[in-house]
Amino acid sequence: MDGHRGDDVAGPRSRKWRPLLALGTAACVLVASELTWLFWDDLMYPVGDPRACAGSDTALPDVITAGGTRLPSDATQVRYYTHEGQAVVSFVSARMPGYLVRAHLIPDTAPPLLDREHGSAYGLGPDESDLPEGLCGEGIRGPAWTFDLPMPPGMAGLPGVPSPGTVLVEGSPDDNFALRTPARVQVAFPLVTADD
């Protein structure tokens, strides 16, 4: 008999807590959803930047300076991958070869000078594409030109000075010495940190 009496007493007490339990659960769900919304970029994107590719370990600034030159103002489809002090940035721009001139990769001449003195053909055929490891988005379509970024003045030949990087640009499938319009560009360069 005592067992039955305890069950009767426990029943009404547990019913008293149900509204409070439901209210507490609703409050927890609300807080969790607000925190998820607040930190959504950090949860969904590497380093909190939708332009960063999976595996990136360093965020780049809003205005990216790739290889010492700001990306063109019309740059679209910007993606980047950073890993162990190196970065690869990919973008599409119709402002080629202006970007190459500003980056001092080709001389400022009209028409633009694409020759083996200022760059070299990259080993991609017309129906091939290349996407560096870690970089997301679309790859460079062949044919393509590659350029070495110039060393800063006074730095050439110094021991321990890393290469400033390379630029890979989509070439025209119709003219070996012209660029696509718009062209996809990939710039690979070492990251400069405050410690450098």
Side-chain angles (χ1 to χ4, degrees):
M1 280 275 180
D2 287 337
H4 291 290
R5 185 198 255 184
D7 290 343
D8 292 340
V9 173
R13 281 189 188 164
S14 66
R15 285 188 209 125
K16 288 181 184 177
W17 290 102
R18 284 184 185 163
L20 292 176
L21 182 60
L23 188 59
T25 301
C28 288
V29 167
L30 180 64
V31 168
S33 66
E34 289 298 317
L35 287 174
T36 300
W37 175 80
L38 183 63
F39 296 106
W40 184 255
D41 284 349
D42 293 331
L43 294 171
M44 295 308 295
Y45 303 112
V47 298
D49 188 344
R51 303 170 303 170
C53 297
S56 291
D57 58 12
T58 304
L60 294 182
D62 289 339
V63 177
I64 297 175
T65 301
T69 304
R70 289 176 58 160
L71 297 190
S73 59
D74 73 331
T76 60
Q77 301 178 34
V78 177
R79 302 286 182 270
Y80 67 82
Y81 175 69
T82 57
H83 185 68
E84 295 181 357
Q86 297 292 316
V88 180
V89 177
S90 174
F91 62 92
V92 174
S93 173
R95 296 193 178 187
M96 295 294 140
Y99 173 78
L100 301 176
V101 171
R102 284 195 325 276
H104 305 291
L105 296 174
I106 61 175
D108 190 5
T109 61
L113 185 60
L114 291 178
D115 62 16
R116 301 219 185 280
E117 182 179 333
H118 299 97
S120 60
Y122 187 73
L124 282 178
D127 296 326
E128 299 175 327
S129 68
D130 187 35
L131 188 64
E133 184 177 339
L135 190 61
C136 55
E138 290 186 38
I140 289 276
R141 296 172 294 169
W145 278 86
T146 184
F147 303 90
D148 290 325
L149 290 169
M151 292 294 283
M155 301 295 277
L158 292 178
V161 176
S163 165
T166 59
V167 176
L168 188 58
V169 184
E170 290 179 332
S172 168
D174 302 322
D175 181 354
N176 287 341
F177 296 99
L179 300 175
R180 286 184 201 260
T181 303
R184 180 171 301 280
V185 181
Q186 292 173 355
V187 184
F189 57 97
L191 292 174
V192 178
T193 63
D195 298 336
D196 294 338

